[in-house]
Amino acid sequence: MSTASTRPVPKPGVLAIDTYVPGRSGATGVSKVYKLSSNETPLGPSPAALEAARAAINHIEAYPDGGVTRLREAIGRRFGLDPARIVCGAGSDDILHLLAQAYVGPGDEGILTEHGFLVYKIAIQAAGGTPVIAPETNFTTDVDAILARVTERTKIVYIANPNNPTGTYLPFDEIKRLHASLPGHVVLVLDGAYAEYARANDYSAGTELVSENENVVLTRTFSKVYGLAALRIGWAYGPAGIIDSLNRIRGPFNVNTPASEAAIASLADEAHLASSLTHNSEWLEWLTGSLKALGLEVTPSAANFLLVHFPPETGKDAQAADAFLAARGVIVRAVAAYGLPHALRISVGTEEANRLLVATLAEFQGQVND
Ligand SMILES: *Cc1c(COP(=O)(O)O)cnc(C)c1O
């Protein structure tokens, strides 16, 4: 008992976790703040979703439906999926954690990419596993780099497609090539948080790969294009075996009623979805062109945000740009924690926010050139 501590000590791995730091939401000394730091939709949720959430709030004394049956059925109808193979979560973060809890333990490894979503790393560590980082090529997931890191200890591979914070995507052929070379015991997680935004012909969220295999899971969220981030609602589509495991370990009431009701209403409002997507594609293109015209390097994005590079040798680095923007009320995301100290991630905002962003960066760049 000589190693006994006088106070509780978390299991190995927990204290190795770097706490997730969300995008900032405020700035001091400015009257109006434009939050472009969390990839939220500038158009907000569908009015029908708001109404559904408000109606559900009147009955919050009752436990939610633990099976989230009506929402799973609505998702099934909308995407042509078997509701029995869908599990819902308190945001897709909930599901990303459950996957690691179910499939990763001490001595196991989980793979994520160099600039991959940090929740994957935290989920692997929280489960007691070891995160293994696969380098990217041109800020893009590199299938061969992932495959080179697969060992008999590998239990899970997480890929966001499109990826956050880079905005890049992998063509479906590459995802299929990755899957074809992965051992059958490895769970391949395809995180489609930004799937709605990806419009390229060679892109697929991967539904058919899930349907045809026992080791591929797709996660989706209502936090981004559907505008329900505060309600915490996401879902996974997976093989029966994986869905069964997730259902055994998830919180029995992990999805609240206002969230599931709002999600059902969101799915029905296709016009709102269409206008949100139109807004995004128009302004993503405008922002990309405008920022490039200022001499900034912009990674091509398939999502609702841009990775903008500020080479430190120009004299004004990402930190200076971040501070310059924040002082004028434009809040963007520093991504040093993602291995990108010389870049900022900037969400597509309202027209007003987008124009202010570009005007402010023009001023910032002008100072660089003086
Ligand atoms: C925003 C985001 C999610 C969604 O998280 P929720 O928990 O559903 O809000 C998942 N994956 C990535 C890569 C994201 O950027």
Side-chain angles (χ1 to χ4, degrees):
M1 294 302 283
S2 59
T3 56
S5 173
T6 55
R7 51 192 174 132
V9 175
K11 64 184 182 179
V14 172
L15 296 182
I17 293 172
D18 293 321
T19 308
Y20 184 87
V21 182
R24 282 173 296 134
S25 50
T28 45
V30 283
S31 51
K32 184 156 185 192
V33 158
Y34 299 83
K35 189 180 176 209
L36 304 179
S37 58
S38 297
N39 299 343
E40 296 147 343
T41 174
L43 271 64
S46 154
L50 276 181
E51 204 177 302
R54 285 199 186 103
I57 276 284
N58 292 326
H59 304 285
I60 54 173
E61 73 286 354
Y63 276 101
D65 165 23
V68 207
T69 308
R70 288 180 50 247
L71 175 57
R72 286 188 302 104
E73 287 172 355
I75 292 168
R77 274 193 303 276
R78 174 72 174 72
F79 296 96
L81 306 175
D82 176 3
R85 291 178 56 177
I86 293 169
V87 60
C88 297
S92 47
D93 285 357
D94 186 17
I95 293 164
L96 297 170
H97 272 277
L98 291 172
L99 285 162
Q101 290 296 326
Y103 291 95
V104 179
D108 294 336
E109 295 173 352
I111 298 178
L112 65 150
T113 66
E114 184 180 0
H115 309 298
F117 191 40
L118 283 175
V119 167
Y120 310 151
K121 189 176 175 201
I122 295 172
I124 294 163
Q125 290 174 302
T130 304
V132 173
I133 312 293
E136 298 186 7
T137 303
N138 293 329
F139 306 105
T140 307
T141 299
D142 181 331
V143 166
D144 297 302
I146 292 173
L147 290 174
R149 281 159 185 79
V150 173
T151 71
E152 68 278 8
R153 292 184 299 278
T154 308
K155 293 293 161 61
I156 199 164
V157 175
Y158 288 101
I159 292 179
N161 200 27
N163 184 48
N164 169 23
T166 56
T168 57
Y169 79 98
L170 272 194
F172 193 37
D173 279 350
E174 280 290 280
I175 297 286
K176 284 192 282 197
R177 184 166 77 83
L178 169 64
H179 174 260
S181 296
L182 276 183
H185 75 272
V186 177
V187 178
L188 175 60
V189 183
L190 302 176
D191 178 347
Y194 303 96
E196 292 84 359
Y197 294 109
R199 291 304 178 81
N201 289 333
D202 59 359
Y203 173 81
S204 165
T207 307
E208 71 175 68
L209 204 60
V210 177
S211 300
E212 294 165 2
N213 293 283
E214 291 194 89
N215 66 332
V216 189
V217 191
L218 174 60
T219 62
R220 303 285 295 258
T221 184
F222 286 95
S223 296
K224 302 287 158 53
V225 74
Y226 292 104
L228 303 180
L231 289 178
R232 313 306 304 128
I233 174 79
W235 54 279
Y237 170 59
I242 293 179
I243 294 301
D244 174 61
S245 300
L246 298 181
N247 276 324
R248 286 171 195 268
I249 63 171
R250 70 178 172 86
F253 304 105
N254 60 337
V255 171
N256 69 80
T257 313
S260 60
E261 291 298 315
I264 292 167
S266 294
L267 287 175
D269 191 347
E270 295 193 18
H272 185 76
L273 174 66
S275 47
S276 301
L277 292 175
T278 301
H279 176 92
N280 189 71
S281 53
E282 288 176 3
W283 287 100
L284 186 74
E285 192 185 332
W286 183 84
L287 282 168
T288 305
S290 304
L291 296 174
K292 281 185 175 171
L294 297 178
L296 293 163
E297 191 196 323
V298 181
T299 299
S301 173
N304 67 335
F305 56 86
L306 287 168
L307 188 70
V308 185
H309 303 268
F310 296 83
E313 55 278 10
T314 58
K316 291 256 176 137
D317 58 14
Q319 239 184 314
D322 190 12
F324 194 89
L325 287 164
R328 287 150 185 83
V330 183
I331 311 303
V332 301
R333 183 75 147 95
V335 282
Y338 287 88
L340 298 163
H342 306 308
L344 295 174
R345 191 195 69 194
I346 303 174
S347 311
V348 173
T350 58
E351 171 171 357
E352 185 186 4
N354 297 334
R355 291 193 187 281
L356 176 63
L357 170 87
V358 170
T360 308
L361 282 178
E363 202 186 325
F364 176 77
Q365 287 294 94
Q367 293 192 352
V368 174
N369 298 331
D370 283 347

